[in-house]
Amino acid sequence: HRKPSGPSRRSLLAGVAALGALGAAGCSRVPTEAGTNGGDLLDRLRATGVVRLGIAGEIPFGYINKDGELTGEAPELARVIFKRLGVDRVQPVPTEFGSLIPGLNSQQFDVVAAGMYINPDRCEQVIFSDPDYQMLDSFIVRKGNPKG
């Protein structure tokens, strides 16, 4: 396991709303003290009053609705969290799902709000928040399972 490296802005709240995980093995906890591996991101977000939120346009998880407003489970949760942290405005930055982590690493947005499995490859690149839900794999078959 190696500690994530790169721009400090991704290490405080890198995955504050990165959601839905099977397990967080190999991921580090996010440092909160200022100046420690990105601990100053929250101060910068409070100073500007806005957090740029990477979303993947996945209904119902995070998307822009027909009225042009950001909504979905992850952005709504992010709004509540950031409001409590002293950041009043959430600005969506829509992108493709596969561009969420690269976009975060290249500072196109400050955090990601998307349902994302936490796996070792992703843990090498970003730090996740604690998951707020879990999706287990399953199969659906017709009643009575006609093909066994």
Side-chain angles (χ1 to χ4, degrees):
H1 165 70
R2 74 169 213 239
K3 290 195 173 220
S5 62
S8 65
R9 75 181 310 125
R10 68 184 166 98
S11 57
L12 173 60
L13 297 170
V16 76
L19 312 167
L22 287 178
C27 283
S28 300
R29 296 287 302 179
V30 177
T32 55
E33 53 282 345
T36 303
N37 232 358
D40 64 342
L41 175 59
L42 182 56
D43 292 334
R44 287 185 279 142
L45 296 177
R46 285 177 176 154
T48 63
V50 63
V51 58
R52 296 170 305 150
L53 193 68
I55 64 166
E58 298 176 306
I59 298 172
F61 303 108
Y63 61 100
I64 307 294
N65 69 17
K66 61 181 168 67
D67 297 324
E69 299 167 350
L70 174 64
T71 192
E73 184 271 339
E76 295 302 330
L77 181 61
R79 273 194 186 99
V80 171
I81 291 169
F82 281 105
K83 187 81 156 171
R84 290 180 183 176
L85 290 172
V87 181
D88 292 329
R89 196 164 65 98
V90 174
Q91 175 187 344
V93 181
T95 190
E96 296 293 321
F97 184 86
S99 297
L100 287 170
I101 290 176
L104 181 66
N105 287 337
S106 66
Q107 301 179 13
Q108 293 175 25
F109 32 83
D110 303 304
V111 297
V112 168
M116 184 178 292
Y117 287 104
I118 298 173
N119 64 40
D121 288 340
R122 290 177 178 150
C123 287
E124 293 273 331
Q125 301 172 63
V126 296
I127 298 173
F128 287 83
S129 70
D130 291 334
D132 69 349
Y133 73 87
Q134 181 178 9
M135 258 170 94
L136 302 175
D137 294 329
S138 63
F139 292 98
I140 298 173
V141 296
R142 277 193 257 150
K143 190 174 182 176
N145 194 8
K147 295 189 177 187

